[in-house]
Amino acid sequence: MKNTGHDMDKLIKKLQAIVGEAFVSDAAEERYLYSMDQGTMPPAAPDAVVMPKTADQVVQIVRLANELKVPLVPMGGGLVLSGLTRALKGGVIVDMKRMDTIIEVNPASRYVVVEAGVTQGKLKAYLAKHHPDLKHSMPDAPPAATIAGNVCIHGSGHLSVLGGFHSDMLTGLEVVLPTGEIVRTGSCSVSDKWFAKAPLPDLSGLFLGWSGTTGFVTKLGIRLFPNYRHNDVLVYVCETADKMPEIIYRLTSAQVAEDMTPWMTPKPEWARGFFHINIAFGAHSKKELIFKRNLLQESVRPITETKAAGFLPIPPVQKARFLEIPSPDLARFADARKGGGFEYVGAIMAIERFAEAYAQGTKIAEKYHTTYSLGARIIGAGHAMMFFFAYAFNRADSDDVDRAAAALEETNRACLEMGGIPWKAEAPAQKEILKQMDPGTAALMDRLRNTLDPNRIMNPGNWEI
């Protein structure tokens, strides 16, 4: 944003007139806090921060930004880790946290409608209190992460074997376009119900995976699922990466798991060199739970009988940790270097690439001497996986940060070479993706952005052709 002091005064006063003086700031300390996330991307400070409360206020902010040619950066929980909510070209970060109303729960059709600032933790607590027989798919993220933010980055969670990516669980959107109009996608554009995107033309994709460059999501509907009374987890362990695709194929064929997360880590020592798969499932009764457990065990019996793999006995006292949602292990690993720095490359890729992804991850971690953890989340009935390469670093140690950043950059390239696609890609990774993308697809993306956002005010610096 190339504004004189006079222009900034004008911008601040107009923003205050829209949302109130208490919800606009250009103070140095707040601009600093909003300049980065917990990842390795360098800071990029906004000129100001604004927190709207209503969709109408978002409309007014967007119209003002077009009038003054000021960039806008949508922000949910600010926990994306890859710097997507940094103000790469200055402007105003629009923090959506005040828009935090849970609007409707429809138990019969199992969906919920929420505003953009509703967090994972708030919805989980609300359902537990008011609809204890329902739950939503939670990512392994802090409770402060927003529902909308995770859906918009094609996130995944503890029900992704059942329902796919969180964007697959979307039933509809309300969006403020970059020009200030409000539109709805899905059944809510025709009906007062938010039950599905089908059978209408699916316009929701214009706002998913675009890193906030095509509009502001202000409301969304997502699917809910049965919250079982009885829950269990099995851990299957094998000795070779090459066997993992077959094991995953067999386990998903049983069609009873809710979540399936392979993991590999050099610590603790007992886990080094082994490939673990956590398989979570639930049931309405103990009898049904035993039936599902037997189905899972039977699905991999041919492999178990070879003695090259088997189920890990878990004492009841330890099982509760495996059943925690979200998993606490990610938070523990994030501070492994005691510096509060953590980032990972999540590659969406074909499951048959598992062994190759593991080999590349360990090779890169050893090359850069980084603390690492590798793993995956299985999507659908083995239709794809989100394979993650996680690196912890000490933010106070610049050399440690540089090593982690270099490891991430090389991992992004390796993912693309393996036929995968880096998930929630930071700006440098976006450029690598665009280089490899079909030219016609890249050109279409650019045309769509020009059409939706003629003044290019929405999160410029991301997905730039």
Side-chain angles (χ1 to χ4, degrees):
M1 176 179 176
K2 297 179 180 179
N3 275 313
T4 64
H6 176 74
D7 290 335
M8 275 303 302
D9 289 343
K10 179 181 179 182
L11 173 66
I12 295 298
K13 287 178 181 177
K14 289 200 171 190
L15 288 173
Q16 288 174 343
I18 295 171
V19 302
E21 187 175 342
F23 301 107
V24 181
S25 178
D26 63 347
E29 59 270 27
E30 288 182 298
R31 292 174 58 239
Y32 171 78
L33 289 171
Y34 279 88
S35 71
M36 68 186 85
D37 59 23
Q38 297 84 353
T40 61
M41 290 292 100
D47 296 293
V49 180
V50 62
M51 299 180 73
K53 179 62 178 171
T54 66
D56 182 63
Q57 289 180 355
V58 176
V59 168
Q60 294 180 62
I61 291 167
V62 170
R63 289 175 178 169
L64 175 63
N66 277 287
E67 175 191 334
L68 301 179
K69 303 297 186 290
V70 175
L72 296 177
V73 180
M75 176 180 169
L79 299 170
V80 74
L81 297 178
S82 50
L84 298 180
T85 58
R86 294 172 301 148
L88 297 179
K89 297 189 179 181
V92 179
I93 287 181
V94 184
D95 187 333
M96 305 293 282
K97 291 186 187 68
R98 291 178 67 216
M99 297 183 65
D100 64 348
T101 301
I102 297 171
I103 297 167
E104 175 196 1
V105 173
N106 186 315
S109 292
R110 289 202 182 109
Y111 69 76
V112 61
V113 183
V114 299
E115 287 189 316
V118 171
T119 64
Q120 304 287 346
K122 179 170 183 172
L123 181 57
K124 180 182 179 182
Y126 183 90
L127 292 174
K129 181 177 180 180
H130 300 286
H131 300 276
D133 57 337
L134 295 172
K135 62 183 177 181
H136 76 291
S137 181
M138 290 193 69
D140 288 325
T146 61
I147 307 289
N150 195 265
V151 167
C152 287
I153 60 171
H154 295 294
S156 58
H158 80 288
L159 297 176
S160 280
V161 172
L162 282 178
F165 293 105
H166 286 159
S167 49
D168 296 323
M169 302 178 193
L170 181 72
T171 63
L173 291 173
E174 179 185 270
V175 181
V176 176
L177 297 179
T179 46
E181 297 96 339
I182 295 181
V183 300
R184 287 188 171 186
T185 68
S187 60
C188 63
S189 67
V190 177
S191 166
D192 63 347
K193 300 296 183 181
W194 292 62
F195 50 84
K197 291 181 290 182
L200 302 169
D202 189 2
L203 301 178
S204 300
L206 292 171
F207 312 102
L208 304 175
W210 287 81
S211 304
T213 60
T214 53
F216 285 90
V217 172
T218 51
K219 294 185 183 73
L220 69 159
I222 61 167
R223 292 174 182 166
L224 299 175
F225 296 84
N227 186 24
Y228 292 119
R229 182 179 177 184
H230 302 277
N231 296 279
D232 201 357
V233 62
L234 295 172
V235 179
Y236 199 66
V237 185
C238 78
E239 297 176 324
T240 62
D242 291 337
K243 274 287 182 187
M244 291 294 280
E246 182 186 355
I247 292 169
I248 293 165
Y249 182 86
R250 287 178 174 274
L251 287 168
T252 52
S253 295
Q255 289 284 278
V256 295
E258 292 184 321
D259 193 20
M260 201 172 296
T261 51
W263 55 277
M264 300 75 65
T265 179
K267 294 181 180 181
E269 193 63 36
W270 60 263
R272 182 189 295 271
F274 290 97
F275 300 83
H276 303 75
I277 308 178
N278 293 2
I279 310 146
F281 58 103
H284 293 293
S285 67
K286 288 185 178 180
K287 184 177 180 180
E288 182 187 353
L289 194 73
I290 293 169
F291 174 74
K292 288 185 175 181
R293 184 188 305 140
N294 290 338
L295 284 176
L296 288 164
Q297 291 172 337
E298 187 63 29
S299 71
V300 289
R301 185 175 299 280
I303 298 174
T304 305
E305 288 176 347
T306 68
K307 307 299 184 183
F311 288 97
L312 180 71
I314 307 173
V317 70
Q318 293 183 358
K319 189 166 284 190
R321 172 181 169 179
F322 286 92
L323 291 169
E324 284 186 58
I325 300 170
S327 170
D329 293 327
L330 194 63
R332 292 190 184 104
F333 175 75
D335 203 30
R337 298 297 283 262
K338 306 304 179 187
F342 171 73
E343 190 171 350
Y344 66 97
V345 173
I348 311 302
M349 60 172 63
I351 289 173
E352 58 264 31
R353 296 284 193 175
F354 191 99
E356 187 179 357
Y358 171 75
Q360 288 285 355
T362 52
K363 177 182 174 183
I364 291 169
E366 290 168 5
K367 176 180 177 179
Y368 292 100
H369 307 289
T370 59
T371 300
Y372 75 92
S373 178
L374 304 175
R377 169 163 269 127
I378 306 306
I379 308 299
H383 297 110
M385 66 178 174
M386 188 280 288
F387 195 101
F388 68 80
F389 309 78
Y391 307 104
F393 55 91
N394 183 346
R395 190 177 292 282
D397 183 338
S398 59
D399 289 339
D400 208 21
V401 175
D402 289 344
R403 282 196 299 273
L408 286 163
E409 186 176 343
E410 187 162 335
T411 305
N412 280 325
R413 289 196 298 270
C415 290
L416 286 164
E417 289 168 5
M418 289 184 283
I421 304 170
W423 173 54
K424 58 179 183 181
E426 61 272 14
Q430 292 169 18
K431 289 179 170 58
E432 293 296 322
I433 293 170
L434 288 168
K435 283 181 192 176
Q436 194 160 316
M437 184 180 284
D438 171 75
T441 304
L444 176 60
M445 285 178 62
D446 204 41
R447 289 204 304 274
L448 287 169
R449 268 190 83 181
N450 285 330
T451 300
L452 291 168
D453 185 12
N455 290 320
R456 288 283 181 144
I457 62 167
M458 293 298 301
N459 209 3
N462 286 282
W463 293 119
E464 298 284 359
I465 306 298

